[in-house]
Amino acid sequence: MNRAARVLWAVAGLVLVAGFASWVYRHASLGAGPAMKLGGLYLQVAVTPLLLGSVGLALVLGVASRAVDALPRRVAAPPLKLPELSPLAADGEDRARAVREMLLVLGRHLRGMAARNEPDIIGFMDQLMDGAIRSGASDVHIHPLETGTRIAFRVHGVLEQVLVFPREHHPRLINRVKVLSRLPLYQLDKPQDGHFPLATQDGPADIRVSILPTNHGESVALRIARTGVRLPQLAALGFPPALLEQYQRLLALPQGLILVAGATGSGKTTSLYASLGHIQQTRGELTRIATIEDPIEFDVPLFAQTQVNAEQGFTFAQGLRAVLRQDPNVIMVGEIRDPETARTAIQAGMSGHLLLSTIHANSAAGVFNRLIEMGVEPFLLASATAATLSQRLARGLCPHCRTEMPLTPEDAVRLDAAGLERGTFYGPVGCERCEGSGYLGRTAIYEMLAVTPAIREAINAKVPSDRIQELARREGMVPLLAAGVERARAGATTLREVFRVVGG
Ligand SMILES: [Zn+2]
């Protein structure tokens, strides 16, 4: 209930009571003399409390409706099925494509809602905001033009049009925004600011509202501030159970370096966020976690997050040094790509901090020589590093329709050449859940090199990457190709995908 409705309630109550009082007064004053006095007495004794009572009731109703308003609004489960936005499509072209696909479906659905004679504006706004949250939008723009109202989302800095809303219903849409943010409906010619809370599947959000009068009506910008985000879960990324356990043990270390290698768009950052989420869950909220990023991808309330700005001379290395002065327990550095950051990171990993970062290298074994090329002392590198990981991203098979497929002769040859077992693998079919494609979401393929005493010696001796790789295999590392084939054997993806993303 908004402010106008509350005033109406109060006025209606007062009118009712005044009418009743005048009725009582007229009847009570019919008789003369003592009856008149009796009537007057009755008014004083009975009607006054009634009047006060009704004013009190109106106040209570007003306060109660305010309290109801203050509750976060839950977005009703939308009846439309939006395409899946996998946490692993976190960066690059894949994500942009997935977002566009999602907005297309959302736009079509909302256009259908808006095209009705009497559109359900409340439902429309709920679904619009739900779509904005799920597509990862930072802003929603509702901008009136001569022919219609353009509704657009800003996703990762790019403005994407969602639909054109019918001109004639524009005022009702703006009123809905005003009701949500408790702004006066009659104010049409002045800029207004407000906000409203929104409960979403990913936790609470605060929507900052800005309304600006324009020549075609009021224009609205809604800024979505995520006050609590749900970080991606480690277990959902594609670690086989045994590897997950081993990795989680490493995340419990008080100090050291954990470095993730992979190409752009291989989901490295997502792996790091999931790792930080796991650390926070297991160590508790008192663990201080700091990040230095470019750009900040998830806004996490309990992390101290710093954005580097290379153009203004604020680099990863400077950010890292500044963060170290605050002495956090765990540090995430977006990427190690220069000697200064590399050296500072190694120092951090040797002085009581667990440091997670990403680096451009072809394999887990290749990370060491990459850092030595950057001028890091092999001896320090060997003692500071706890583990290196390498990862690739493969399309996930739809678990609802996948089916066993006979091994093709080429695949058999490739498996034999890699010394891997043949056996049963799966292929795509296509069903309603995956829109006929046979694929759903993404799965990561991991290779993890835990630094053992033997590996430490090898790094120290500056041996070439392929020899470190060989040694790591003997020490129990499952290389990327074998790990990918295992994922395919489990039905998470296809052999063809594995060969495509891993090679070999
Ligand atoms: Zn399917």
Side-chain angles (χ1 to χ4, degrees):
M1 207 176 1
N2 60 44
R3 202 176 302 162
R6 284 196 293 272
V7 171
L8 277 179
W9 261 100
V11 170
L14 285 174
V15 167
L16 199 75
V17 169
F20 180 66
S22 74
W23 179 81
V24 168
Y25 181 74
R26 204 174 303 150
H27 282 75
S29 57
L30 271 180
M36 183 86 171
K37 279 184 194 150
L38 211 66
L41 197 69
Y42 173 78
L43 266 182
Q44 275 176 10
V45 173
V47 180
T48 311
L50 205 65
L51 199 71
L52 288 175
S54 72
V55 171
L57 190 70
L59 280 174
V60 166
L61 275 175
V63 170
S65 73
R66 260 189 120 78
V68 168
D69 273 355
L71 295 174
R73 295 184 48 77
R74 178 155 293 282
V75 174
L80 86 159
K81 181 188 153 287
L82 290 173
E84 188 113 347
L85 201 58
S86 151
L88 281 170
D91 28 32
E93 243 339 87
D94 273 340
R95 186 174 180 95
R97 200 176 317 120
V99 165
R100 269 196 299 277
E101 230 168 79
M102 188 185 217
L103 296 189
L104 223 64
V105 176
L106 181 70
R108 207 179 306 139
H109 179 79
L110 290 176
R111 252 196 315 280
M113 284 183 90
R116 285 182 210 131
N117 272 343
E118 275 299 309
D120 164 21
I121 296 290
I122 295 178
F124 180 90
M125 257 321 273
D126 282 355
Q127 301 216 357
L128 180 73
M129 293 314 293
D130 182 63
I133 298 267
R134 286 214 264 161
S135 62
S138 57
D139 305 79
V140 176
H141 293 271
I142 303 175
H143 188 64
L145 301 168
E146 206 175 340
T147 47
T149 299
R150 193 179 64 198
I151 299 181
F153 293 171
R154 188 178 297 284
V155 188
H156 284 255
V158 183
L159 204 61
E160 307 260 8
Q161 176 165 316
V162 180
L163 78 154
V164 176
F165 186 78
R167 187 85 188 84
E168 64 268 29
H169 299 309
H170 177 81
R172 287 186 59 205
L173 191 59
I174 301 300
N175 278 356
R176 180 62 193 153
V177 174
K178 288 181 174 176
V179 165
L180 283 171
S181 33
R182 292 197 263 149
L183 292 169
L185 299 183
Y186 50 82
Q187 186 84 264
L188 299 172
D189 52 358
K190 273 190 197 148
Q192 297 185 68
D193 291 317
H195 72 106
F196 61 92
L198 189 76
T200 75
Q201 290 172 332
D202 296 333
D206 191 43
I207 313 298
R208 316 261 156 89
V209 182
S210 154
I211 302 178
L212 194 70
T214 73
N215 49 346
H216 294 300
E218 287 175 291
S219 174
V220 173
L222 302 161
R223 177 131 252 258
I224 300 168
R226 288 169 176 79
T227 38
V229 296
R230 205 168 49 187
L231 288 171
Q233 293 288 308
L234 263 188
L237 298 186
F239 281 100
L243 190 65
L244 182 64
E245 214 173 278
Q246 196 188 354
Y247 183 53
Q248 286 173 342
R249 271 201 305 275
L250 288 167
L251 291 177
L253 290 174
Q255 68 168 25
L257 253 63
I258 295 176
L259 301 169
V260 184
T264 308
S266 61
K268 297 182 299 249
T269 312
T270 306
S271 295
L272 290 193
Y273 270 113
S275 306
L276 292 181
H278 174 81
I279 289 172
Q280 195 176 40
Q281 267 171 26
T282 48
R283 298 195 194 181
E285 292 189 350
L286 286 176
T287 298
R288 280 162 303 140
I289 299 176
T291 72
I292 304 130
E293 305 171 67
D294 183 24
I296 293 176
E297 286 193 27
F298 292 80
D299 193 344
V300 191
L302 288 168
F303 294 1
Q305 292 173 286
T306 305
Q307 161 101 48
V308 302
N309 190 337
E311 276 167 28
Q312 291 184 16
F314 187 58
T315 60
F316 273 119
Q318 283 170 320
L320 181 52
R321 274 199 302 272
V323 158
L324 279 171
R325 283 195 281 276
Q326 305 224 343
D327 199 26
N329 304 98
V330 182
I331 305 168
M332 191 258 261
V333 178
E335 192 185 350
I336 295 179
R337 56 182 173 212
D338 61 277
E340 212 186 341
T341 309
R343 279 196 301 271
T344 318
I346 300 275
Q347 278 163 21
M350 287 171 58
S351 56
H353 312 275
L354 183 69
L355 187 139
L356 282 66
S357 189
T358 71
I359 189 164
H360 265 276
N362 285 332
S363 64
V367 169
F368 304 104
N369 277 326
R370 180 90 188 81
L371 282 165
I372 291 171
E373 280 166 26
M374 282 188 198
V376 172
E377 196 57 50
F379 166 72
L380 296 179
L381 180 64
S383 49
T385 313
T388 60
L389 289 89
S390 176
Q391 75 175 86
R392 300 284 187 277
L393 214 50
R395 287 194 294 166
L397 261 180
C398 172
H400 309 290
C401 63
R402 69 179 171 215
T403 181
E404 286 184 15
M405 290 261 173
L407 203 57
T408 63
E410 307 95 88
D411 285 348
V413 168
R414 292 177 100 164
L415 285 176
D416 292 349
L420 295 166
E421 226 176 280
R422 297 186 184 188
T424 310
F425 293 93
Y426 297 81
V429 176
C431 69
E432 208 176 85
R433 308 282 264 281
C434 57
E435 285 171 350
S437 71
Y439 292 94
L440 202 61
R442 307 255 145 182
T443 185
I445 299 168
Y446 291 100
E447 156 184 277
M448 187 168 90
L449 190 159
V451 178
T452 58
I455 304 259
R456 198 161 286 140
E457 237 168 73
I459 299 168
N460 217 345
K462 286 214 237 179
V463 306
S465 298
D466 52 345
R467 275 189 46 208
I468 295 187
Q469 169 90 8
E470 221 9 78
L471 183 59
R473 266 174 109 127
R474 283 206 299 275
E475 300 272 304
M477 177 183 83
V478 179
L480 265 181
L481 185 59
V485 169
E486 279 319 304
R487 296 295 293 148
R489 220 186 286 281
T493 186
T494 62
L495 259 189
R496 177 167 300 182
E497 269 292 288
V498 172
F499 288 132
R500 182 180 71 82
V501 300
V502 180

